Amino acid sequence: MRNSQDFAPPGPDTATAARRRPVRHRAAAALTAAVTFALVLTGCGGGGDAAPKSASGSGSAKSSADADRVEPLAGTPAPELPVTVESADGRKVTIDSADRIVPLTGSLSEIVFTLGLGRQVVARDITATFEQAEELPVVTRAHDVSAESVLSLKPTIVLADTTTGPSEAIDQIRDAGIPLLVVEPAGGLDDVGRRIDTVAEALGVPSAGTELKKRTERRIADVRKSVPDHADGEKPRVAFLYLRGSASVYLLGGAESGAGSLLEAAGAVDAGKESGLDKDFTAITSEALAKAAPDAILLMTKGLASVGGMDGLVKIPGIAETPAGMDRRVVTVDDGVLLNYGPRTDRVLAEIIRQLYAKGGTGR
């Protein structure tokens, strides 16, 4: 799994779908690697009416990460086209027009809108949940692209990533003569600038891409400076769990989950990775949790709600026996942004740091 926005918002919530592509990426979303989730940073399926708890387990966490809007660059750049670019699947793609853009992941939608080209976007993937995109028609069914829906909107450029599917739909769009660019998903903070550059070049606005990349990387660097010193010299151990209670999906993130880069930037230890889990996700067991021994648990908000909030979380076998479970210590971030690794990642990182080191929290 690489990006968060490829953990899709409410949709069919099955273990099979959860293993198909990232969440979108990655996150999600984002869920883009071996167990790449077809659930977008967006969180598949939801379930549960309980409000997610804050880091102290005492209420809903509200922050800039929860303000579901993107912040476009000032002005609307004028695309300089045509351009020919290299697609991640080895093809050469020539783009003649950016008048009608269809991004097929929420994370790609976020980049396009933040570059200032939101007015040219004519459709969205189900994982694009931010405010500026919410009125656009959705061209995915559950987590799969509907080629017919895409083609009916007469796009001049379609943006996808290597987790977008099914392959038949991608082929159908290409066979119709529509330029379709495949972008490598993000797996961590180091991939943010690359994805922005790739999308900006394809849309003929490389200068806007450079500006957005610099802004995003500068903001992430500034947030990293806010990590407090650890009084005892010990970094908090944080386990990333992917939960979908309605589908009985309970997974512990490992080295390839996509969350490790954020946790390390927040001054924490990825407990799953540190305990020896070298895959993206593994089924939660009491033994695995005991070995990970997390001081806190990182969750997507819909994931926590799907198991009934904090009270339901500690009923999952093994959770209550961990330091995090005993302290009821969780960190929650919206499904649609957690693993997005894009223009809003600074806000995600700031929210993780805020909750993790809250007064009386893990980092005290």
Side-chain angles (χ1 to χ4, degrees):
M1 166 183 7
R2 308 243 171 117
N3 54 26
S4 119
Q5 223 41 348
D6 306 321
F7 281 74
D13 198 3
T14 66
T16 299
R19 289 174 173 79
R20 222 172 21 206
R21 93 177 78 117
V23 180
R24 199 125 297 30
H25 17 279
R26 169 116 287 262
L31 293 255
T32 313
V35 167
T36 57
F37 282 97
L39 317 168
V40 185
L41 196 162
T42 357
C44 194
D49 298 322
K53 302 291 185 178
S54 69
S56 60
S58 59
S60 295
K62 278 292 175 187
S63 75
S64 58
D66 295 311
D68 208 2
R69 292 182 56 82
V70 299
E71 181 189 348
L73 297 173
T76 302
E80 297 181 5
L81 298 169
V83 296
T84 299
V85 293
E86 183 86 26
S87 181
D89 57 359
R91 299 169 183 253
K92 295 281 188 180
V93 179
T94 298
I95 298 99
D96 295 307
S97 170
D99 289 346
R100 300 181 65 80
I101 307 168
V102 176
L104 292 179
T105 75
S107 53
L108 292 171
S109 291
E110 181 177 321
I111 293 173
V112 175
F113 271 82
T114 311
L115 284 169
L117 297 174
R119 290 181 181 274
Q120 285 101 295
V121 178
V122 296
R124 69 180 176 93
D125 173 55
I126 195 171
T127 64
T129 58
F130 54 91
E131 185 177 310
Q132 293 100 319
E134 62 186 2
E135 298 300 323
L136 291 170
V138 176
V139 291
T140 49
R141 297 168 179 164
H143 305 293
D144 289 332
V145 176
S146 166
E148 294 80 5
S149 296
V150 171
L151 294 174
S152 71
L153 293 166
K154 303 185 185 311
T156 57
I157 173 64
V158 173
L159 300 171
D161 73 20
T162 56
T163 66
T164 305
S167 59
E168 293 81 6
I170 300 302
D171 291 341
Q172 188 174 343
I173 293 169
R174 277 190 165 139
D175 290 345
I178 307 300
L180 187 150
L181 178 70
V182 177
V183 182
E184 284 288 349
L189 291 171
D190 291 342
D191 296 321
V192 172
R194 169 183 57 78
R195 279 171 62 86
I196 291 173
D197 278 342
T198 299
V199 173
E201 181 184 4
L203 298 180
V205 290
S207 295
T210 299
E211 181 183 352
L212 179 57
K213 179 175 71 171
K214 288 180 178 178
R215 187 187 83 174
T216 303
E217 292 178 343
R218 180 181 67 250
R219 290 179 175 182
I220 291 172
D222 288 344
V223 172
R224 296 182 76 155
K225 295 174 184 176
S226 71
V227 176
D229 293 331
H230 306 291
D232 57 4
E234 292 292 326
K235 295 182 178 181
R237 297 174 61 86
V238 183
F240 174 43
L241 304 188
Y242 181 75
L243 308 176
R244 283 299 177 262
S246 57
S248 298
V249 175
Y250 307 103
L251 303 174
L252 169 60
E256 301 298 325
S257 75
S261 181
L262 283 170
L263 293 176
E264 290 165 10
V269 172
D270 183 339
K273 175 182 177 181
E274 186 73 8
S275 69
L277 299 178
D278 56 3
K279 299 179 181 179
D280 45 8
F281 287 88
T282 189
I284 288 176
T285 64
S286 297
E287 294 77 12
L289 286 168
K291 190 173 182 179
D295 299 306
I297 292 170
L298 174 63
L299 297 161
M300 293 182 179
T301 52
K302 287 188 178 74
L304 182 58
S306 77
V307 297
M310 191 71 222
D311 290 339
L313 178 66
V314 295
K315 292 177 183 177
I316 296 173
I319 296 286
E321 289 71 42
T322 65
M326 289 186 279
D327 290 341
R328 298 172 71 89
R329 182 72 54 200
V330 300
V331 174
T332 59
V333 178
D334 270 1
D335 303 48
V337 292
L338 176 56
L339 298 182
N340 195 20
Y341 290 117
R344 290 191 290 173
T345 295
D346 63 298
R347 289 190 250 171
V348 173
L349 182 57
E351 180 60 9
I352 291 173
I353 292 170
R354 185 190 72 80
Q355 293 187 47
L356 186 58
Y357 300 101
K359 185 178 180 180
T362 326
R364 67 180 181 278

